[in-house]
Amino acid sequence: MYLEKRSQEQLLDALDRLIECTRASFREEEALMDCFAPDPDPVHREMHGRVLARLMALRNSALDFDRGRLLAQLIFIDRELTSHISDVAPIPECH
């Protein structure tokens, strides 16, 4: 979207989809944490909230950003999500 310089409406639609996919992924992960972890990590859940808040803030101000600033924000969020994925420990089998 960014590289193809799509319309603002298409960009907002893509951000909306990214937010929904992220929210769904975090819900699934939290459900697994509830199932497998006797004491789920509250810091990890708070990180989910922070990432979603950043995505919402980006979406709400995306039209005010120039393309360079928008790209910088997307890269920052991408790094947070990538870091999050690499921090997830293997989950034991449920008995």
Side-chain angles (χ1 to χ4, degrees), residues 23-52:
R23 187 175 284 129
S25 176
F26 286 166
R27 272 194 308 262
E28 288 177 18
E29 183 180 326
E30 289 173 6
L32 286 171
M33 286 169 45
D34 289 341
C35 177
F36 294 110
D39 218 3
D41 181 8
V43 173
H44 191 89
R45 286 181 192 259
E46 289 170 10
M47 189 279 311
H48 288 177
R50 284 193 310 274
V51 169
L52 285 169

Side-chain angles (χ1 to χ4, degrees), residues 2-95:
Y2 179 85
L3 292 175
E4 294 174 2
K5 297 183 180 180
R6 298 280 179 99
S7 72
Q8 290 180 340
E9 182 178 298
Q10 289 174 313
L11 176 63
L12 292 178
D13 286 345
L15 288 170
D16 287 339
R17 285 192 311 272
L18 176 61
I19 291 166
E20 278 308 305
C21 288
T22 303
R23 187 175 284 129
S25 176
F26 286 166
R27 272 194 308 262
E28 288 177 18
E29 183 180 326
E30 289 173 6
L32 286 171
M33 286 169 45
D34 289 341
C35 177
F36 294 110
D39 218 3
D41 181 8
V43 173
H44 191 89
R45 286 181 192 259
E46 289 170 10
M47 189 279 311
H48 288 177
R50 284 193 310 274
V51 169
L52 285 169
R54 276 195 224 289
L55 282 169
M56 291 299 298
L58 176 63
R59 195 267 182 230
N60 291 336
S61 59
L63 299 182
D64 299 330
F65 288 165
D66 61 42
R67 292 183 61 75
R69 188 166 173 213
L70 177 64
L71 180 59
Q73 291 295 314
L74 286 170
I75 289 170
F76 180 75
I77 292 169
D78 178 67
R79 286 188 180 152
E80 279 188 313
L81 289 170
T82 303
S83 170
H84 169 71
I85 291 168
S86 67
D87 288 343
V88 174
I91 298 174
E93 289 187 34
C94 191
H95 299 289

